[in-house]
Amino acid sequence: MKIYRTVDYQEMSRMAASILAAQIQQKPDCVLGLATGSTPIGMYDELVRQYQDGTLDFSLVKSVNLDEYKGLTREDEQSYSYFMNQHLFGRVNIHPENTYLPDGTQTDAGAECTRYEEVISRLGGVDLQVLGIGRNGHIGFNEPADSFARATHCVELTPSTIDANKRFFEKEEDVPRQAYTMGIGTIMRARRILLLASGADKAEALRGALYGPVTPRLPASILQFHPDVTVIADEAAFSAVR
Ligand code: F6R
């Protein structure tokens, strides 16, 4: 595991973007695994800047996102599909047909999860998976549990995640209660993983993930078993590591 400690969010974002940019330059038709949430926004802004400067070309890049709320359409402003269009896809020359997310409108959860796993396999797997970390140590929507979920599945969100995500909605009742997410097995099959964390509210989760026991009670701790993980986190996120 390579661990980088940055001064702040901006430096974390720039460093993360440089790793994605290098991946795209080395393999222009790479498969990127992407995340939503506050953490990667600065990284996406930096990638857009490099695209606008003419130094980065997304024309062959393919992407698969970690997760999507169940019950939201792609056009819903709270959907992760909408988020990705706003922050990245709509601002660079990636082909929309090369961008994949679970389909939140599918009510047959089993069929949708199988379809999404097949999409990832058909693309040849993920070259570089970007992850944020929840305050409870979740990755994707893999919440603390008694065991690690292997494949893409449908989850009930925990009160802690609903609480953390309500800032994006008008009221807490509007936060969907279920989501589709890649499983821990899906994430662990990515060839490389980039974990990002910013802010003191992630400090305990990050410490546990990097230095605590590997346990499904702190899902990100499984990353200790992955052979190629890079962690970039700012000083605040490292504040619990002494
Ligand atoms: C987002 C995702 C989540 C977030 C995590 C951190 O696609 O899968 O696991 O990465 O909840 O969210 P932020 O970055 O908003 O703190």
Side-chain angles (χ1 to χ4, degrees), residues 78-223:
Q78 308 303 339
S79 74
Y80 285 172
S81 174
Y82 188 91
F83 175 102
M84 290 309 300
N85 286 329
Q86 290 294 108
H87 291 285
L88 187 68
F89 301 158
R91 302 163 75 200
V92 298
N93 66 336
I94 195 165
H95 291 291
E97 63 272 25
N98 286 340
T99 65
Y100 301 87
L101 288 97
D103 181 350
T105 63
Q106 292 301 323
T107 49
D108 182 342
E112 177 53 15
C113 295
T114 304
R115 181 195 72 82
Y116 201 60
E117 285 288 327
E118 283 168 4
V119 165
I120 298 170
S121 300
R122 202 178 64 236
L123 293 173
V126 174
D127 290 301
L128 176 58
Q129 176 68 55
V130 177
L131 298 175
I133 182 169
R135 293 184 309 209
N136 61 5
H138 72 218
I139 47 176
F141 271 123
N142 292 277
E143 303 284 7
D146 291 334
S147 60
F148 291 110
R150 288 179 190 207
T152 299
H153 58 292
C154 181
V155 287
E156 304 289 329
L157 304 193
T158 62
S160 140
T161 299
I162 291 169
D163 183 57
N165 289 8
K166 70 177 185 217
R167 66 192 192 277
F168 299 113
F169 293 81
E170 229 167 74
K171 37 189 194 330
E172 185 170 330
E173 300 82 77
D174 294 343
V175 185
R177 279 2 193 200
Q178 290 182 315
Y180 290 124
T181 180
M182 285 185 193
I184 293 292
T186 325
I187 293 170
M188 289 293 279
R189 276 196 300 279
R191 287 183 269 282
R192 294 165 67 208
I193 292 180
L194 175 59
L195 174 69
L196 306 177
S198 171
D201 59 334
K202 302 296 175 65
E204 281 304 325
L206 187 66
R207 183 175 60 86
L210 302 187
Y211 303 110
V214 173
T215 164
R217 291 272 133 224
L218 204 158
S221 64
I222 193 78
L223 299 175

